[in-house]
Amino acid sequence: MNMHSVNILVLHGVNLNMFGKRDPAHYGTVSLAEIDAALTALGAELGLAVTSYQTNHEGSMVERIHQALDEDFHAIVINAGAWTHYSHAIADALDILPVPKVEVHMSHVHARQAFRRESVLARVCAGSIEGFGLESYLLGLRAAAALVRRDREKTWV
Ligand code: DQA
């Protein structure tokens, strides 16, 4: 994190540490470390400082979000994995943070099983990007940066 840049917190939820070893038809072969490296590289290009966090424990994710309240993040990008579909606890935690949140998914969740079509996080997120693999994260980072810029400049581009 950097005092002068735009600071973005990227949150990865349950099972996402298994990217690269998990269901390649939906998630490809890219690992979480490669996703984080690509986000950091794009962030450097765009003047964003990217901090990533992954956990398989819902309470740890809630506490990481609480901790962010005392840190200087300007936006959140979150792929909550299966928590997306049922964790009102994570949605409520995100709602506490007064910064824009962008939901992302590697797979095209609306083209899969019915239970994946609902996002309980949608009510606290500005929007969602899904189905583009690694590119979903990169687009999500760009969207988060655009939202921060919009709030700063009070314009929408
Ligand atoms: C996912 C989609 C979720 O439905 C699933 O439970 C995941 C990954 C995605 O990135 O496509 O774990 O969030």
Side-chain angles (χ1 to χ4, degrees):
M1 217 182 335
N2 182 307
M3 285 261 298
H4 302 293
S5 67
V6 172
N7 302 318
I8 312 278
L9 177 61
V10 179
L11 298 172
H12 307 285
V14 62
N15 289 316
L16 304 194
N17 57 309
M18 300 307 283
F19 280 150
K21 298 178 189 145
R22 168 183 186 209
D23 193 356
H26 285 112
Y27 305 121
T29 53
V30 69
S31 69
L32 192 64
E34 288 167 338
I35 292 170
D36 282 340
L39 285 166
T40 301
L42 178 62
E45 239 175 73
L46 301 177
L48 314 169
V50 177
T51 302
S52 297
Y53 175 76
Q54 191 276 331
T55 181
N56 293 313
H57 301 277
E58 188 179 17
S60 303
M61 181 61 88
V62 165
E63 285 178 354
R64 182 66 192 85
I65 294 166
H66 292 172
Q67 186 190 321
L69 195 58
D70 297 323
E71 297 169 322
D72 191 24
F73 290 110
H74 302 102
I76 308 276
V77 174
I78 182 163
N79 182 353
W83 290 329
T84 305
H85 313 301
Y86 63 87
S87 179
H88 297 284
I90 289 176
D92 281 354
L94 287 171
D95 203 22
I96 296 168
L97 295 182
V99 298
K101 297 117 204 162
V102 176
E103 178 182 343
V104 301
H105 298 285
M106 295 274 274
S107 67
H108 188 182
V109 284
H110 281 82
R112 300 180 64 192
Q113 299 99 321
F115 80 89
R116 295 187 203 275
R117 285 184 211 137
E118 191 190 1
S119 166
V120 300
L121 307 187
R123 70 176 165 89
V124 299
C125 290
S128 169
I129 298 164
E130 62 173 75
F132 303 109
L134 166 65
E135 200 62 37
S136 291
Y137 277 99
L138 300 178
L139 291 166
L141 186 65
R142 288 182 186 276
L147 291 168
V148 173
R149 202 177 337 117
R150 179 188 68 175
D151 289 349
R152 286 186 178 176
E153 296 168 8
K154 301 268 178 272
T155 59
W156 183 236
V157 284

